[in-house]
PDB file of all heavy atoms in Angstrom:
ATOM      1  N   VAL A 203     -13.845  31.106 -39.731  1.00  0.00           N
ATOM      2  CA  VAL A 203     -14.270  32.046 -38.696  1.00  0.00           C
ATOM      3  C   VAL A 203     -15.534  32.775 -39.149  1.00  0.00           C
ATOM      4  O   VAL A 203     -15.590  33.299 -40.267  1.00  0.00           O
ATOM      5  CB  VAL A 203     -13.167  33.086 -38.382  1.00  0.00           C
ATOM      6  CG1 VAL A 203     -13.659  34.104 -37.358  1.00  0.00           C
ATOM      7  CG2 VAL A 203     -11.904  32.395 -37.870  1.00  0.00           C
ATOM      8  N   LEU A 204     -16.540  32.781 -38.276  1.00  0.00           N
ATOM      9  CA  LEU A 204     -17.712  33.646 -38.450  1.00  0.00           C
ATOM     10  C   LEU A 204     -17.545  34.792 -37.478  1.00  0.00           C
ATOM     11  O   LEU A 204     -17.650  34.598 -36.259  1.00  0.00           O
ATOM     12  CB  LEU A 204     -19.001  32.876 -38.175  1.00  0.00           C
ATOM     13  CG  LEU A 204     -20.303  33.696 -38.232  1.00  0.00           C
ATOM     14  CD1 LEU A 204     -20.508  34.289 -39.617  1.00  0.00           C
ATOM     15  CD2 LEU A 204     -21.498  32.855 -37.818  1.00  0.00           C
ATOM     16  N   PHE A 205     -17.245  35.992 -37.998  1.00  0.00           N
ATOM     17  CA  PHE A 205     -16.940  37.143 -37.149  1.00  0.00           C
ATOM     18  C   PHE A 205     -18.130  38.093 -37.175  1.00  0.00           C
ATOM     19  O   PHE A 205     -18.448  38.691 -38.205  1.00  0.00           O
ATOM     20  CB  PHE A 205     -15.678  37.858 -37.649  1.00  0.00           C
ATOM     21  CG  PHE A 205     -15.059  38.760 -36.633  1.00  0.00           C
ATOM     22  CD1 PHE A 205     -13.991  38.327 -35.870  1.00  0.00           C
ATOM     23  CD2 PHE A 205     -15.544  40.039 -36.419  1.00  0.00           C
ATOM     24  CE1 PHE A 205     -13.411  39.156 -34.907  1.00  0.00           C
ATOM     25  CE2 PHE A 205     -14.983  40.875 -35.472  1.00  0.00           C
ATOM     26  CZ  PHE A 205     -13.918  40.425 -34.711  1.00  0.00           C
ATOM     27  N   ILE A 206     -18.796  38.221 -36.029  1.00  0.00           N
ATOM     28  CA  ILE A 206     -20.026  39.007 -35.916  1.00  0.00           C
ATOM     29  C   ILE A 206     -19.693  40.356 -35.298  1.00  0.00           C
ATOM     30  O   ILE A 206     -19.055  40.429 -34.236  1.00  0.00           O
ATOM     31  CB  ILE A 206     -21.052  38.258 -35.054  1.00  0.00           C
ATOM     32  CG1 ILE A 206     -21.417  36.927 -35.725  1.00  0.00           C
ATOM     33  CG2 ILE A 206     -22.294  39.097 -34.817  1.00  0.00           C
ATOM     34  CD1 ILE A 206     -22.201  35.996 -34.838  1.00  0.00           C
ATOM     35  N   THR A 207     -20.121  41.436 -35.953  1.00  0.00           N
ATOM     36  CA  THR A 207     -19.804  42.767 -35.440  1.00  0.00           C
ATOM     37  C   THR A 207     -20.748  43.799 -36.066  1.00  0.00           C
ATOM     38  O   THR A 207     -21.421  43.514 -37.051  1.00  0.00           O
ATOM     39  CB  THR A 207     -18.338  43.137 -35.767  1.00  0.00           C
ATOM     40  OG1 THR A 207     -18.025  44.411 -35.206  1.00  0.00           O
ATOM     41  CG2 THR A 207     -18.093  43.184 -37.263  1.00  0.00           C
ATOM     42  N   HIS A 208     -20.805  44.980 -35.456  1.00  0.00           N
ATOM     43  CA  HIS A 208     -21.487  46.115 -36.078  1.00  0.00           C
ATOM     44  C   HIS A 208     -20.465  47.121 -36.588  1.00  0.00           C
ATOM     45  O   HIS A 208     -20.826  48.160 -37.132  1.00  0.00           O
ATOM     46  CB  HIS A 208     -22.418  46.792 -35.069  1.00  0.00           C
ATOM     47  CG  HIS A 208     -21.696  47.353 -33.879  1.00  0.00           C
ATOM     48  ND1 HIS A 208     -21.438  46.614 -32.757  1.00  0.00           N
ATOM     49  CD2 HIS A 208     -21.146  48.566 -33.673  1.00  0.00           C
ATOM     50  CE1 HIS A 208     -20.770  47.366 -31.901  1.00  0.00           C
ATOM     51  NE2 HIS A 208     -20.575  48.552 -32.425  1.00  0.00           N
ATOM     52  N   ASN A 209     -19.176  46.800 -36.432  1.00  0.00           N
ATOM     53  CA  ASN A 209     -18.092  47.721 -36.754  1.00  0.00           C
ATOM     54  C   ASN A 209     -17.510  47.394 -38.127  1.00  0.00           C
ATOM     55  O   ASN A 209     -16.806  46.395 -38.296  1.00  0.00           O
ATOM     56  CB  ASN A 209     -17.006  47.605 -35.670  1.00  0.00           C
ATOM     57  CG  ASN A 209     -15.931  48.661 -35.809  1.00  0.00           C
ATOM     58  OD1 ASN A 209     -15.595  49.084 -36.910  1.00  0.00           O
ATOM     59  ND2 ASN A 209     -15.373  49.083 -34.679  1.00  0.00           N
ATOM     60  N   MET A 210     -17.823  48.218 -39.110  1.00  0.00           N
ATOM     61  CA  MET A 210     -17.350  47.960 -40.470  1.00  0.00           C
ATOM     62  C   MET A 210     -15.825  48.072 -40.577  1.00  0.00           C
ATOM     63  O   MET A 210     -15.207  47.428 -41.432  1.00  0.00           O
ATOM     64  CB  MET A 210     -18.015  48.930 -41.452  1.00  0.00           C
ATOM     65  CG  MET A 210     -19.518  48.762 -41.579  1.00  0.00           C
ATOM     66  SD  MET A 210     -20.015  47.155 -42.256  1.00  0.00           S
ATOM     67  CE  MET A 210     -19.605  47.361 -43.987  1.00  0.00           C
ATOM     68  N   GLY A 211     -15.206  48.887 -39.722  1.00  0.00           N
ATOM     69  CA  GLY A 211     -13.756  48.991 -39.736  1.00  0.00           C
ATOM     70  C   GLY A 211     -13.096  47.679 -39.342  1.00  0.00           C
ATOM     71  O   GLY A 211     -12.078  47.281 -39.933  1.00  0.00           O
ATOM     72  N   VAL A 212     -13.658  46.986 -38.362  1.00  0.00           N
ATOM     73  CA  VAL A 212     -13.139  45.686 -37.954  1.00  0.00           C
ATOM     74  C   VAL A 212     -13.308  44.669 -39.082  1.00  0.00           C
ATOM     75  O   VAL A 212     -12.420  43.857 -39.347  1.00  0.00           O
ATOM     76  CB  VAL A 212     -13.851  45.204 -36.675  1.00  0.00           C
ATOM     77  CG1 VAL A 212     -13.518  43.745 -36.382  1.00  0.00           C
ATOM     78  CG2 VAL A 212     -13.459  46.073 -35.492  1.00  0.00           C
ATOM     79  N   VAL A 213     -14.451  44.724 -39.762  1.00  0.00           N
ATOM     80  CA  VAL A 213     -14.696  43.821 -40.890  1.00  0.00           C
ATOM     81  C   VAL A 213     -13.628  43.995 -41.967  1.00  0.00           C
ATOM     82  O   VAL A 213     -13.117  43.025 -42.525  1.00  0.00           O
ATOM     83  CB  VAL A 213     -16.104  44.067 -41.479  1.00  0.00           C
ATOM     84  CG1 VAL A 213     -16.254  43.411 -42.839  1.00  0.00           C
ATOM     85  CG2 VAL A 213     -17.156  43.543 -40.536  1.00  0.00           C
ATOM     86  N   ALA A 214     -13.282  45.250 -42.257  1.00  0.00           N
ATOM     87  CA  ALA A 214     -12.261  45.518 -43.274  1.00  0.00           C
ATOM     88  C   ALA A 214     -10.930  44.903 -42.891  1.00  0.00           C
ATOM     89  O   ALA A 214     -10.139  44.502 -43.761  1.00  0.00           O
ATOM     90  CB  ALA A 214     -12.107  47.026 -43.469  1.00  0.00           C
ATOM     91  N   GLU A 215     -10.662  44.794 -41.585  1.00  0.00           N
ATOM     92  CA  GLU A 215      -9.393  44.266 -41.107  1.00  0.00           C
ATOM     93  C   GLU A 215      -9.317  42.748 -41.201  1.00  0.00           C
ATOM     94  O   GLU A 215      -8.268  42.192 -41.492  1.00  0.00           O
ATOM     95  CB  GLU A 215      -9.177  44.679 -39.645  1.00  0.00           C
ATOM     96  CG  GLU A 215      -8.761  46.113 -39.450  1.00  0.00           C
ATOM     97  CD  GLU A 215      -7.326  46.347 -39.861  1.00  0.00           C
ATOM     98  OE1 GLU A 215      -6.466  45.483 -39.606  1.00  0.00           O
ATOM     99  OE2 GLU A 215      -7.071  47.389 -40.492  1.00  0.00           O
ATOM    100  N   ILE A 216     -10.432  42.047 -40.960  1.00  0.00           N
ATOM    101  CA  ILE A 216     -10.329  40.613 -40.706  1.00  0.00           C
ATOM    102  C   ILE A 216     -11.064  39.725 -41.697  1.00  0.00           C
ATOM    103  O   ILE A 216     -10.718  38.552 -41.853  1.00  0.00           O
ATOM    104  CB  ILE A 216     -10.807  40.297 -39.272  1.00  0.00           C
ATOM    105  CG1 ILE A 216     -10.264  38.942 -38.818  1.00  0.00           C
ATOM    106  CG2 ILE A 216     -12.329  40.370 -39.149  1.00  0.00           C
ATOM    107  CD1 ILE A 216     -10.370  38.679 -37.335  1.00  0.00           C
ATOM    108  N   ALA A 217     -12.078  40.229 -42.392  1.00  0.00           N
ATOM    109  CA  ALA A 217     -12.952  39.345 -43.175  1.00  0.00           C
ATOM    110  C   ALA A 217     -12.460  39.162 -44.612  1.00  0.00           C
ATOM    111  O   ALA A 217     -11.832  40.039 -45.200  1.00  0.00           O
ATOM    112  CB  ALA A 217     -14.374  39.897 -43.197  1.00  0.00           C
ATOM    113  N   ASP A 218     -12.752  37.986 -45.167  1.00  0.00           N
ATOM    114  CA  ASP A 218     -12.570  37.739 -46.597  1.00  0.00           C
ATOM    115  C   ASP A 218     -13.843  38.090 -47.358  1.00  0.00           C
ATOM    116  O   ASP A 218     -13.788  38.515 -48.509  1.00  0.00           O
ATOM    117  CB  ASP A 218     -12.241  36.251 -46.842  1.00  0.00           C
ATOM    118  CG  ASP A 218     -10.963  35.818 -46.153  1.00  0.00           C
ATOM    119  OD1 ASP A 218      -9.893  36.323 -46.542  1.00  0.00           O
ATOM    120  OD2 ASP A 218     -11.026  34.989 -45.215  1.00  0.00           O
ATOM    121  N   ARG A 219     -14.966  37.888 -46.694  1.00  0.00           N
ATOM    122  CA  ARG A 219     -16.273  38.084 -47.307  1.00  0.00           C
ATOM    123  C   ARG A 219     -17.197  38.695 -46.257  1.00  0.00           C
ATOM    124  O   ARG A 219     -17.003  38.487 -45.051  1.00  0.00           O
ATOM    125  CB  ARG A 219     -16.808  36.731 -47.795  1.00  0.00           C
ATOM    126  CG  ARG A 219     -18.034  36.794 -48.674  1.00  0.00           C
ATOM    127  CD  ARG A 219     -18.362  35.429 -49.281  1.00  0.00           C
ATOM    128  NE  ARG A 219     -19.561  35.500 -50.089  1.00  0.00           N
ATOM    129  CZ  ARG A 219     -19.588  35.928 -51.338  1.00  0.00           C
ATOM    130  NH1 ARG A 219     -18.468  36.309 -51.926  1.00  0.00           N
ATOM    131  NH2 ARG A 219     -20.727  35.970 -52.017  1.00  0.00           N
ATOM    132  N   VAL A 220     -18.205  39.441 -46.697  1.00  0.00           N
ATOM    133  CA  VAL A 220     -19.095  40.138 -45.771  1.00  0.00           C
ATOM    134  C   VAL A 220     -20.548  39.834 -46.126  1.00  0.00           C
ATOM    135  O   VAL A 220     -20.927  39.864 -47.303  1.00  0.00           O
ATOM    136  CB  VAL A 220     -18.887  41.671 -45.821  1.00  0.00           C
ATOM    137  CG1 VAL A 220     -19.754  42.356 -44.785  1.00  0.00           C
ATOM    138  CG2 VAL A 220     -17.429  42.023 -45.613  1.00  0.00           C
ATOM    139  N   ALA A 221     -21.349  39.540 -45.101  1.00  0.00           N
ATOM    140  CA  ALA A 221     -22.801  39.438 -45.258  1.00  0.00           C
ATOM    141  C   ALA A 221     -23.421  40.513 -44.373  1.00  0.00           C
ATOM    142  O   ALA A 221     -23.104  40.607 -43.186  1.00  0.00           O
ATOM    143  CB  ALA A 221     -23.301  38.056 -44.855  1.00  0.00           C
ATOM    144  N   VAL A 222     -24.296  41.333 -44.955  1.00  0.00           N
ATOM    145  CA  VAL A 222     -24.942  42.437 -44.240  1.00  0.00           C
ATOM    146  C   VAL A 222     -26.363  42.009 -43.891  1.00  0.00           C
ATOM    147  O   VAL A 222     -27.132  41.617 -44.777  1.00  0.00           O
ATOM    148  CB  VAL A 222     -24.962  43.715 -45.093  1.00  0.00           C
ATOM    149  CG1 VAL A 222     -25.627  44.860 -44.325  1.00  0.00           C
ATOM    150  CG2 VAL A 222     -23.550  44.105 -45.514  1.00  0.00           C
ATOM    151  N   MET A 223     -26.738  42.103 -42.595  1.00  0.00           N
ATOM    152  CA  MET A 223     -28.071  41.729 -42.154  1.00  0.00           C
ATOM    153  C   MET A 223     -28.883  42.969 -41.788  1.00  0.00           C
ATOM    154  O   MET A 223     -28.350  43.934 -41.239  1.00  0.00           O
ATOM    155  CB  MET A 223     -28.019  40.781 -40.953  1.00  0.00           C
ATOM    156  CG  MET A 223     -27.515  39.389 -41.280  1.00  0.00           C
ATOM    157  SD  MET A 223     -27.778  38.208 -39.917  1.00  0.00           S
ATOM    158  CE  MET A 223     -29.561  37.958 -40.005  1.00  0.00           C
ATOM    159  N   TYR A 224     -30.181  42.886 -42.093  1.00  0.00           N
ATOM    160  CA  TYR A 224     -31.110  43.938 -41.699  1.00  0.00           C
ATOM    161  C   TYR A 224     -32.454  43.291 -41.402  1.00  0.00           C
ATOM    162  O   TYR A 224     -33.000  42.545 -42.222  1.00  0.00           O
ATOM    163  CB  TYR A 224     -31.270  44.984 -42.808  1.00  0.00           C
ATOM    164  CG  TYR A 224     -32.200  46.113 -42.424  1.00  0.00           C
ATOM    165  CD1 TYR A 224     -31.752  47.142 -41.610  1.00  0.00           C
ATOM    166  CD2 TYR A 224     -33.532  46.130 -42.841  1.00  0.00           C
ATOM    167  CE1 TYR A 224     -32.601  48.180 -41.230  1.00  0.00           C
ATOM    168  CE2 TYR A 224     -34.386  47.160 -42.469  1.00  0.00           C
ATOM    169  CZ  TYR A 224     -33.914  48.182 -41.656  1.00  0.00           C
ATOM    170  OH  TYR A 224     -34.751  49.204 -41.269  1.00  0.00           O
ATOM    171  N   ALA A 225     -32.980  43.553 -40.203  1.00  0.00           N
ATOM    172  CA  ALA A 225     -34.308  43.070 -39.803  1.00  0.00           C
ATOM    173  C   ALA A 225     -34.464  41.568 -40.029  1.00  0.00           C
ATOM    174  O   ALA A 225     -35.485  41.106 -40.531  1.00  0.00           O
ATOM    175  CB  ALA A 225     -35.390  43.836 -40.543  1.00  0.00           C
ATOM    176  N   GLY A 226     -33.429  40.807 -39.667  1.00  0.00           N
ATOM    177  CA  GLY A 226     -33.510  39.351 -39.707  1.00  0.00           C
ATOM    178  C   GLY A 226     -33.149  38.717 -41.024  1.00  0.00           C
ATOM    179  O   GLY A 226     -33.152  37.478 -41.133  1.00  0.00           O
ATOM    180  N   GLN A 227     -32.828  39.506 -42.044  1.00  0.00           N
ATOM    181  CA  GLN A 227     -32.503  38.963 -43.361  1.00  0.00           C
ATOM    182  C   GLN A 227     -31.122  39.429 -43.819  1.00  0.00           C
ATOM    183  O   GLN A 227     -30.667  40.502 -43.441  1.00  0.00           O
ATOM    184  CB  GLN A 227     -33.535  39.421 -44.400  1.00  0.00           C
ATOM    185  CG  GLN A 227     -34.941  38.917 -44.157  1.00  0.00           C
ATOM    186  CD  GLN A 227     -35.913  39.427 -45.205  1.00  0.00           C
ATOM    187  OE1 GLN A 227     -35.783  40.530 -45.727  1.00  0.00           O
ATOM    188  NE2 GLN A 227     -36.914  38.608 -45.531  1.00  0.00           N
ATOM    189  N   VAL A 228     -30.478  38.611 -44.658  1.00  0.00           N
ATOM    190  CA  VAL A 228     -29.260  39.039 -45.339  1.00  0.00           C
ATOM    191  C   VAL A 228     -29.685  39.889 -46.529  1.00  0.00           C
ATOM    192  O   VAL A 228     -30.471  39.452 -47.375  1.00  0.00           O
ATOM    193  CB  VAL A 228     -28.427  37.838 -45.819  1.00  0.00           C
ATOM    194  CG1 VAL A 228     -27.237  38.315 -46.663  1.00  0.00           C
ATOM    195  CG2 VAL A 228     -27.924  37.029 -44.628  1.00  0.00           C
ATOM    196  N   VAL A 229     -29.180  41.140 -46.593  1.00  0.00           N
ATOM    197  CA  VAL A 229     -29.566  42.034 -47.683  1.00  0.00           C
ATOM    198  C   VAL A 229     -28.460  42.197 -48.724  1.00  0.00           C
ATOM    199  O   VAL A 229     -28.728  42.638 -49.843  1.00  0.00           O
ATOM    200  CB  VAL A 229     -30.001  43.422 -47.159  1.00  0.00           C
ATOM    201  CG1 VAL A 229     -31.247  43.288 -46.296  1.00  0.00           C
ATOM    202  CG2 VAL A 229     -28.881  44.114 -46.384  1.00  0.00           C
ATOM    203  N   GLU A 230     -27.230  41.845 -48.358  1.00  0.00           N
ATOM    204  CA  GLU A 230     -26.138  41.898 -49.331  1.00  0.00           C
ATOM    205  C   GLU A 230     -25.013  41.002 -48.858  1.00  0.00           C
ATOM    206  O   GLU A 230     -24.748  40.876 -47.665  1.00  0.00           O
ATOM    207  CB  GLU A 230     -25.629  43.336 -49.517  1.00  0.00           C
ATOM    208  CG  GLU A 230     -24.577  43.459 -50.612  1.00  0.00           C
ATOM    209  CD  GLU A 230     -24.307  44.890 -51.058  1.00  0.00           C
ATOM    210  OE1 GLU A 230     -24.880  45.831 -50.457  1.00  0.00           O
ATOM    211  OE2 GLU A 230     -23.529  45.064 -52.012  1.00  0.00           O
ATOM    212  N   GLU A 231     -24.334  40.379 -49.829  1.00  0.00           N
ATOM    213  CA  GLU A 231     -23.183  39.528 -49.523  1.00  0.00           C
ATOM    214  C   GLU A 231     -22.183  39.655 -50.653  1.00  0.00           C
ATOM    215  O   GLU A 231     -22.555  39.581 -51.840  1.00  0.00           O
ATOM    216  CB  GLU A 231     -23.612  38.067 -49.355  1.00  0.00           C
ATOM    217  CG  GLU A 231     -22.476  37.154 -48.936  1.00  0.00           C
ATOM    218  CD  GLU A 231     -22.906  35.692 -48.819  1.00  0.00           C
ATOM    219  OE1 GLU A 231     -24.124  35.422 -48.828  1.00  0.00           O
ATOM    220  OE2 GLU A 231     -22.012  34.835 -48.728  1.00  0.00           O
ATOM    221  N   ALA A 232     -20.901  39.858 -50.311  1.00  0.00           N
ATOM    222  CA  ALA A 232     -19.883  40.075 -51.341  1.00  0.00           C
ATOM    223  C   ALA A 232     -18.493  39.947 -50.722  1.00  0.00           C
ATOM    224  O   ALA A 232     -18.342  40.014 -49.495  1.00  0.00           O
ATOM    225  CB  ALA A 232     -20.044  41.459 -51.970  1.00  0.00           C
ATOM    226  N   PRO A 233     -17.453  39.770 -51.556  1.00  0.00           N
ATOM    227  CA  PRO A 233     -16.080  39.864 -51.048  1.00  0.00           C
ATOM    228  C   PRO A 233     -15.844  41.207 -50.391  1.00  0.00           C
ATOM    229  O   PRO A 233     -16.414  42.221 -50.803  1.00  0.00           O
ATOM    230  CB  PRO A 233     -15.229  39.689 -52.321  1.00  0.00           C
ATOM    231  CG  PRO A 233     -16.101  38.933 -53.265  1.00  0.00           C
ATOM    232  CD  PRO A 233     -17.498  39.420 -52.987  1.00  0.00           C
ATOM    233  N   VAL A 234     -15.006  41.228 -49.363  1.00  0.00           N
ATOM    234  CA  VAL A 234     -14.887  42.426 -48.528  1.00  0.00           C
ATOM    235  C   VAL A 234     -14.432  43.649 -49.318  1.00  0.00           C
ATOM    236  O   VAL A 234     -14.973  44.749 -49.139  1.00  0.00           O
ATOM    237  CB  VAL A 234     -13.942  42.155 -47.329  1.00  0.00           C
ATOM    238  CG1 VAL A 234     -12.520  41.873 -47.764  1.00  0.00           C
ATOM    239  CG2 VAL A 234     -13.991  43.307 -46.337  1.00  0.00           C
ATOM    240  N   ALA A 235     -13.479  43.496 -50.227  1.00  0.00           N
ATOM    241  CA  ALA A 235     -12.993  44.653 -50.977  1.00  0.00           C
ATOM    242  C   ALA A 235     -14.086  45.245 -51.863  1.00  0.00           C
ATOM    243  O   ALA A 235     -14.209  46.471 -51.990  1.00  0.00           O
ATOM    244  CB  ALA A 235     -11.784  44.257 -51.826  1.00  0.00           C
ATOM    245  N   GLU A 236     -14.914  44.372 -52.442  1.00  0.00           N
ATOM    246  CA  GLU A 236     -15.952  44.848 -53.360  1.00  0.00           C
ATOM    247  C   GLU A 236     -17.090  45.534 -52.617  1.00  0.00           C
ATOM    248  O   GLU A 236     -17.674  46.506 -53.115  1.00  0.00           O
ATOM    249  CB  GLU A 236     -16.474  43.682 -54.194  1.00  0.00           C
ATOM    250  CG  GLU A 236     -15.421  43.119 -55.141  1.00  0.00           C
ATOM    251  CD  GLU A 236     -15.975  42.019 -56.023  1.00  0.00           C
ATOM    252  OE1 GLU A 236     -17.198  42.006 -56.252  1.00  0.00           O
ATOM    253  OE2 GLU A 236     -15.178  41.181 -56.478  1.00  0.00           O
ATOM    254  N   ILE A 237     -17.425  45.033 -51.430  1.00  0.00           N
ATOM    255  CA  ILE A 237     -18.542  45.644 -50.708  1.00  0.00           C
ATOM    256  C   ILE A 237     -18.167  47.041 -50.210  1.00  0.00           C
ATOM    257  O   ILE A 237     -19.027  47.919 -50.104  1.00  0.00           O
ATOM    258  CB  ILE A 237     -19.017  44.731 -49.564  1.00  0.00           C
ATOM    259  CG1 ILE A 237     -20.525  44.891 -49.364  1.00  0.00           C
ATOM    260  CG2 ILE A 237     -18.279  45.000 -48.256  1.00  0.00           C
ATOM    261  CD1 ILE A 237     -21.176  43.792 -48.578  1.00  0.00           C
TER     262      ILE A 237
END
């Protein structure tokens, strides 16, 4: 599943890993608990 959202609370509920985008680029990527 690729779950796209602006809601970090939803990400905490469903994701195993998180990629953060800003201005068209990925600026950080990590396991959800660590991020």
Side-chain angles (χ1 to χ4, degrees):
V203 177
L204 176 61
F205 198 98
I206 298 169
T207 183
H208 62 272
N209 188 327
M210 295 296 285
V212 169
V213 166
E215 284 287 321
I216 200 165
D218 299 294
R219 191 171 178 82
V220 184
V222 181
M223 290 191 73
Y224 181 79
Q227 296 179 327
V228 174
V229 296
E230 185 166 4
E231 184 182 347
V234 65
E236 294 184 25
I237 213 163

